[in-house]
Amino acid sequence: MAVTAEDLSPTIALDGGRKIRGNLTQARIRWMVLALVLGFGAVGGRLVQLGMVVPDSTIEGQARDVITATRPPILDRNGLEMAVDIRVPSLYAEPRRIIDVEEAVTKIRSVLPNLNEAWLRNRLTGDKGFVWVQRELSPAIQERIMRLGIPGVEFLTESKRFYPGMTEASHILGSTNIDNQGISGIEKHMDDENVALLQELGLARGNALAPVELSVDMRVQHVMHEQLVDAMSRYQAIAAAGVMVDIHTGEIIALASLPDFNPNDPKTALVKDTFNRITSGIFEPGSIFKTVTMAGALDSGAVKMTDQFDARFGVRFGRFTIDDFHGKHRILALPEVYKFSSNIGTIRVMQAMGKENFRAFLSRMGFDQRVSFELPEMRLPSVPKDFSEVGAATASFGHGLSVSPLHMVTAYSAFVNGGNYIAPTLYKRSEAEAELLYRRVIQPETSANIRALMRLNAIGQGGSGSQMNKAALGYRVGGKTGTAEKVVDGRYSSSKVTNFFASAFPLDNPQYAMVIMVDEPKAENPQSGTTAGWNAGTVTGRIVQRVAPMLGIAPDFSPIIDDFVPTAYR
Amino acid sequence: MIRNLNIILIFTSVIMLAGVYTLKFSIEHTASERTALAAQIESQEGDLSLLKADWAVLNQPGHIDPIVKRHQVALAIGPVQQKQFGAFQDIPMRPVKPNNAEMDALFQSLEAGIDPIDAILELEGIE
């Protein structure tokens, strides 16, 4: 029997011990390598993952950037701060880290007793990572809460807007909300312009921003505010407002409206009647509108300074007769029409010009649109598109149309600065910059005539501005009174009036125009009256007396200065 | 040979380890110092912002005016009145400058023994 390999079971080859150990070691090394690779891979992967994570900077829907965002300080024209940022602590809690809610509630309420207990308990319960408890606290309260040592309750420094002038320039500045965004006034305008963008980009955070310089002079603003407060109590008026502009540049020097609010406490702005009467209030301007009629008529060449107008009888329109308040009932020269504020005379002046021309002149003076201005609180004036005969007649002396005091002060600036319309601004503007924006509305000669009329009204016998001139003697103020009767139950009431005084000074070389409004004044004493000369006029006089030295205007009593006023009508 | 190398390596790694740990702790220390400084700067900036706000309040005309009014009587002050303004024409003319040369000449003649008064007295006939 042949021995073949086939029958044999496969050869048994026994590996040596060395080889077995070698294989085993190799396998172990492989496993080791795999484990290490996996281990390092896991570590590396985690590192990459950590590197990819974008830190979540949002706090309950609000970006942290926004709450600590700074705003540029606001300065007045002399560099005095009108608005600054201060850092204040705000209390927040992390409910998921609070161990004993009841204890935390009791402790927090021991320092902040005005917090509602149920609200606070509800706020601190749950698994949330961040909740505000109370924002914008004082450092003293922060210290006291820190001492309580409640876990999960902490502070964050926020930036808060502070207005050192308190209520004085409230309508100019407006206010910001708790997240430091402007909600009214120039603050809102700044946001709309560029600050919001800066904050969005994160550039505004913690960085000192270049201050914003306004055209306002806080000294003048203070005097105007103080005098308006005084007028409110002196004449028991429901409201008072005033605005002063530099007639050459259109810069607002002062703007105040009472009742006002405290921008440090923005919710006071929600109180009724605190709206800005200068920009967002529209009123029947009354007789101060006669200056507009005079300027239009003189500029059209239809009337001359020497013309005479028959004011013996009232003007009849069907059933209506329009008569004068202090009727002279004689033939009046043009300066006398202005000085005695004759309605009849003014209607005749307007009729000489023609009502179509008169309406066109109102458009030229910008009376049928908003004044271009920075404050967002603006209202459209209401001026009829077309005038009827009687509509044009009443409009000529300021009834039947409503414009804002800002419209009036802008118009007066143009009338006295040589005839150039310049939109008002709250930012600094040089005369050269302003000249590029000038729009000619009347001729320089007309402007000179209007100046003479305004001055005549202050120095002339029986002029309606003579009360005003008593206080401001020497500062060459001139202006026009306006007493507009209010519509009560559908008819004009003689007891409820809105009084205006529109003025400019010093009239030999005008610099500033001003409109003062006193709403529903009562007579100061039995000898005085309720017409504008008695209240808005005297307020103007007192303001000019105080501010003229600040603005570098020296009094001058030399009679030559008033030579430009026609002597015949003084 | 290898044994020595191993010993050297072990020592080196121990030293390196110690070094790394020291570095780590010193960096942590520096970082905490930095954090403390940043916190201090921030709190000081906060204080500064409050001081600046205080300063702005104290400078406001609306803050100064009531103080002025309170002390108006004691200090005898008040808003400037028109009559307080003057003009250049109201300033009196400057007094004539003294003639120094003449004075010097007089003193010199006195020192020289010539008294102009004597001459006048002689002329008047008074001794």
Side-chain angles (χ1 to χ4, degrees):
Chain A
M1 181 173 166
V3 177
T4 57
E6 285 149 28
D7 294 337
L8 293 175
S9 53
T11 335
I12 298 168
L14 291 173
D15 286 340
R18 196 183 183 91
K19 193 169 182 186
I20 291 169
R21 256 203 311 279
N23 284 344
L24 203 62
T25 314
Q26 244 175 6
R28 278 179 184 162
I29 287 173
R30 266 193 215 105
W31 282 115
M32 236 8 244
V33 166
L34 187 68
L36 281 175
V37 164
L38 283 178
F40 277 102
V43 170
R46 178 77 177 137
L47 278 178
V48 170
Q49 190 201 356
L50 286 176
M52 302 281 275
V53 170
V54 180
D56 188 11
S57 64
T58 53
I59 299 168
E60 210 182 42
Q62 293 155 340
R64 189 184 269 261
D65 280 343
V66 173
I67 57 167
T68 54
T70 50
R71 299 176 66 80
I74 300 177
L75 310 180
D76 83 337
R77 66 184 301 124
N78 304 312
L80 185 69
E81 283 98 342
M82 294 174 76
V84 290
D85 274 343
I86 53 172
R87 305 259 182 100
V88 289
S90 280
L91 181 65
Y92 74 94
E94 294 171 84
R96 70 165 76 115
R97 283 184 48 212
I98 294 180
I99 301 154
D100 187 344
V101 176
E102 279 311 311
E103 187 201 7
V105 169
T106 329
K107 278 185 169 176
I108 291 175
R109 285 192 74 243
S110 72
V111 179
L112 300 167
N114 51 352
L115 288 180
N116 183 301
E117 193 178 339
W119 174 86
L120 187 60
R121 188 177 297 120
N122 189 27
R123 193 99 171 143
L124 300 184
T125 323
D127 197 30
K128 290 184 287 288
F130 184 96
V131 288
W132 285 121
V133 177
Q134 178 93 309
R135 292 176 72 175
E136 298 182 351
L137 298 163
S138 68
I141 288 184
Q142 179 185 23
E143 182 66 36
R144 284 173 63 193
I145 291 180
M146 293 278 231
R147 270 160 201 262
L148 297 175
I150 318 164
V153 170
E154 269 165 79
F155 285 93
L156 197 75
T157 307
E158 273 194 274
S159 179
K160 177 187 177 358
R161 203 62 160 159
F162 177 68
Y163 303 91
M166 308 300 166
T167 62
E168 265 179 12
S170 51
H171 285 107
I172 297 171
L173 294 166
S175 55
T176 57
N177 63 9
I178 203 153
D179 290 323
N180 245 358
Q181 290 149 333
I183 48 172
S184 61
I186 200 78
E187 295 274 24
K188 179 150 171 53
H189 182 260
M190 275 162 50
D191 275 17
D192 295 344
E193 285 289 287
N194 42 29
V195 174
L197 180 71
L198 278 180
Q199 289 181 344
E200 212 166 283
L201 295 174
L203 291 175
R205 189 177 166 198
N207 290 355
L209 296 174
V212 174
E213 285 188 315
L214 298 189
S215 62
V216 178
D217 187 325
M218 268 316 272
R219 300 169 304 171
V220 179
Q221 175 75 24
H222 166 70
V223 171
M224 183 177 276
H225 185 266
E226 189 202 21
Q227 288 300 331
L228 291 174
V229 170
D230 176 63
M232 287 268 284
S233 62
R234 202 188 275 250
Y235 310 116
Q236 295 153 43
I238 58 165
V243 57
M244 185 192 284
V245 297
D246 182 316
I247 59 165
H248 298 297
T249 60
E251 290 173 293
I252 300 279
I253 303 295
L255 186 159
S257 168
L258 287 166
D260 56 7
F261 60 94
N262 186 353
N264 291 317
D265 187 9
K267 65 177 177 291
T268 55
L270 302 175
V271 177
K272 200 172 154 275
D273 280 342
T274 57
F275 67 99
N276 186 347
R277 287 175 163 73
I278 296 297
T279 59
S280 63
I282 59 170
F283 305 91
E284 287 200 336
S287 301
I288 58 168
F289 210 71
K290 283 177 183 153
T291 314
V292 179
T293 312
M294 292 292 170
L298 284 169
D299 199 56
S300 71
V303 297
K304 291 192 294 295
M305 285 290 274
T306 48
D307 283 357
Q308 308 252 317
F309 297 91
D310 184 358
R312 283 177 296 178
F313 314 104
V315 186
R316 289 194 66 117
F317 293 98
R319 301 189 286 121
F320 302 102
T321 304
I322 298 173
D323 211 342
D324 283 355
F325 183 66
H326 315 278
K328 293 283 168 199
H329 299 294
R330 61 176 169 91
I331 291 173
L332 299 170
L334 189 136
E336 287 175 318
V337 169
Y338 191 79
K339 186 169 82 173
F340 300 127
S341 199
S342 163
N343 293 343
I344 306 167
T346 313
I347 295 170
R348 305 259 186 247
V349 170
M350 186 278 299
Q351 283 169 342
M353 184 193 185
K355 71 180 169 95
E356 309 302 328
N357 289 342
F358 177 57
R359 182 65 188 79
F361 183 69
L362 297 192
S363 296
R364 185 152 31 123
M365 292 307 302
F367 279 117
D368 43 15
Q369 55 194 333
R370 278 195 188 101
V371 181
S372 137
F373 193 50
E374 284 88 9
L375 295 187
E377 297 86 9
M378 297 290 265
R379 230 181 113 188
L380 267 178
S382 111
V383 177
K385 281 246 177 323
D386 291 299
F387 281 138
S388 60
E389 281 299 324
V390 64
T394 53
S396 74
F397 56 86
H399 284 256
L401 47 79
S402 295
V403 297
S404 70
L406 191 67
H407 278 96
M408 289 315 297
V409 81
T410 314
Y412 269 75
S413 306
F415 292 156
V416 294
N417 75 1
N420 298 302
Y421 185 94
I422 175 80
T425 178
L426 273 173
Y427 293 116
K428 268 194 169 176
R429 181 152 76 190
S430 71
E431 214 157 307
E433 285 167 340
E435 268 161 23
L436 300 174
L437 304 169
Y438 276 175
R439 179 166 63 84
R440 181 155 287 287
V441 284
I442 58 169
Q443 295 308 309
E445 306 84 67
T446 315
S447 172
N449 284 333
I450 294 293
R451 290 208 289 265
L453 287 177
M454 285 170 72
R455 183 65 183 144
L456 171 74
N457 211 8
I459 56 172
Q461 276 289 318
S464 55
S466 45
Q467 286 292 335
M468 171 279 299
N469 202 36
K470 276 182 190 160
L473 226 51
Y475 292 119
R476 294 94 73 198
V477 200
K480 182 79 194 79
T481 52
T483 307
E485 294 180 346
K486 281 194 172 181
V487 178
V488 179
D489 301 330
R491 47 202 324 210
Y492 282 106
S493 150
S494 57
S495 58
K496 289 204 164 143
V497 288
T498 318
N499 287 349
F500 295 93
F501 196 88
S503 56
F505 68 98
L507 271 177
D508 51 323
N509 174 28
Q511 301 288 325
Y512 302 99
M514 179 157 60
V515 169
I516 294 291
M517 183 191 100
V518 182
D519 203 358
E520 291 188 23
K522 315 248 182 325
E524 187 184 2
N525 53 49
Q527 285 79 42
S528 61
T530 55
T531 49
W534 288 102
N535 36 66
T538 52
V539 172
T540 304
R542 285 193 289 261
I543 292 177
V544 171
Q545 202 234 349
R546 290 281 304 277
V547 304
M550 295 174 189
L551 297 168
I553 296 163
D556 195 335
F557 295 95
S558 55
I560 309 165
I561 266 192
D562 287 326
D563 265 3
F564 67 101
V565 182
T567 30
Y569 309 107
R570 289 197 197 165
Chain B
M1 217 336 244
I2 279 194
R3 213 180 102 132
N4 285 347
L5 191 68
N6 278 343
I7 288 169
I8 290 168
L9 280 176
I10 284 168
F11 273 101
T12 334
S13 36
V14 166
I15 290 164
M16 297 263 289
L17 198 72
V20 166
Y21 265 87
T22 324
L23 197 65
K24 177 179 180 286
F25 286 127
S26 89
I27 285 170
E28 271 177 5
H29 179 69
T30 315
S32 76
E33 259 182 4
R34 185 188 161 278
T35 317
L37 276 177
Q40 197 197 353
I41 289 169
E42 196 170 313
S43 86
Q44 283 181 346
E45 271 176 355
D47 293 347
L48 196 65
S49 79
L50 287 175
L51 288 174
K52 273 188 180 158
D54 275 351
W55 182 241
V57 170
L58 296 177
N59 271 326
Q60 287 293 323
H63 177 84
I64 297 166
D65 197 38
I67 302 172
V68 172
K69 287 224 172 83
R70 204 154 55 232
H71 301 287
Q72 208 163 15
V73 181
L75 298 174
I77 45 172
V80 63
Q81 299 296 315
Q82 284 93 326
K83 62 175 190 288
Q84 288 174 277
F85 285 86
F88 280 117
Q89 296 92 284
D90 302 342
I91 302 172
M93 290 305 287
R94 197 172 179 173
V96 183
K97 207 172 157 190
N99 191 340
N100 286 335
E102 197 103 318
M103 289 293 274
D104 287 346
L106 178 67
F107 286 128
Q108 270 165 14
S109 70
L110 279 173
E111 265 170 43
I114 307 159
D115 191 346
I117 300 290
D118 283 351
I120 293 167
L121 290 177
E122 219 162 288
L123 204 73
E124 297 285 317
I126 308 162
E127 268 309 307

